[in-house]
Amino acid sequence: MPNKSPEMHSRRGRRVSRRYKKRQRIRIIVITLLILFIGGLVSLISVLKKTESSSVFHLDHECVLGEDTCVAISGEQKVTLSADEKPESLKIITFTTTLTNIHADHIVLDLQGKKMFMGINQIDMKKVNDNTWSGSIEMAVCTTGSMTWLASLLIHDESLAYPTRAEFEFVAQ
């Protein structure tokens, strides 16, 4: 068995040292990326919570869509929703919304069955004047005779990351 020269020990030591330093650099990079990822995640959650809390509208009073104008309020902002007649299956209903202290570039009315999937029922509302929007949609048929619907107004403002959402409930026969 040949004796290992000091030079071989030195080379081997340098290789081990380089591997150790390389592993340390990789650990530092991974830890840094992990910290940045967690920081970004915390920031995103914070932004989402702010957006969520600033766009929650509460119904001002119970209403019957088609007979009443439904009103949802959040601070100084107000959204109303009305229908030209009582919503019924297979009827074309015109919905109108009025915004108070809210800017909108685009509004989508999304109708969903509360307890049953009723397909995709969305309409792009058309601007009638500065704060009033309108759109018509044929109500889907419900085989149970009566359906509770959730009407969500998605109010898009290009200066905001997420649309403002106002939700209403109504029953259609």
Side-chain angles (χ1 to χ4, degrees), residues 14-171:
R14 278 182 270 178
R15 273 188 269 147
V16 169
S17 179
R18 280 189 211 133
R19 277 191 236 136
Y20 177 76
K21 287 179 183 177
K22 188 175 182 179
R23 286 183 187 148
Q24 285 299 97
R25 279 189 228 124
I26 291 171
R27 284 184 188 133
I28 289 170
I29 290 170
V30 167
I31 290 170
T32 303
L33 289 174
L34 190 59
I35 289 170
L36 290 172
F37 175 75
I38 291 171
L41 195 57
V42 168
S43 295
L44 179 64
I45 290 169
S46 171
V47 167
L48 290 175
K49 282 186 177 181
K50 285 179 188 173
T51 302
E52 185 178 294
S53 64
S54 66
S55 31
V56 173
F57 284 79
H58 302 285
L59 285 175
D60 183 33
H61 63 278
E62 295 259 342
C63 68
V64 178
L65 203 56
E67 295 176 11
D68 300 323
T69 296
C70 299
V71 180
I73 296 175
S74 177
E76 297 295 314
Q77 296 178 321
K78 182 168 76 170
V79 177
T80 67
L81 182 65
S82 60
D84 64 341
E85 58 185 296
K86 192 166 169 92
E88 292 181 25
S89 295
L90 295 177
K91 252 190 177 175
I92 296 176
I93 306 296
T94 300
F95 292 92
T96 304
T97 186
T98 303
L99 310 176
T100 304
N101 297 322
I102 302 172
H103 176 265
D105 293 310
H106 179 78
I107 298 177
V108 174
L109 175 63
D110 179 50
L111 301 174
Q112 299 290 323
K114 185 173 181 178
K115 295 182 181 177
M116 180 185 306
F117 179 71
M118 297 297 290
I120 297 172
N121 301 283
Q122 292 185 338
I123 53 171
D124 290 326
M125 307 279 289
K126 303 291 181 225
K127 195 171 194 171
V128 176
N129 61 40
D130 284 344
N131 61 350
T132 303
W133 299 68
S134 183
S136 300
I137 190 169
E138 182 176 11
M139 297 300 297
V141 175
C142 177
T143 57
T144 62
S146 179
M147 167 65 71
T148 300
W149 290 85
L150 298 174
S152 298
L153 285 167
L154 304 171
I155 304 163
H156 297 268
D157 179 345
E158 291 177 4
S159 66
L160 300 175
Y162 301 98
T164 299
R165 178 187 287 273
E167 293 186 342
F168 304 87
E169 276 189 28
F170 66 93
V171 176

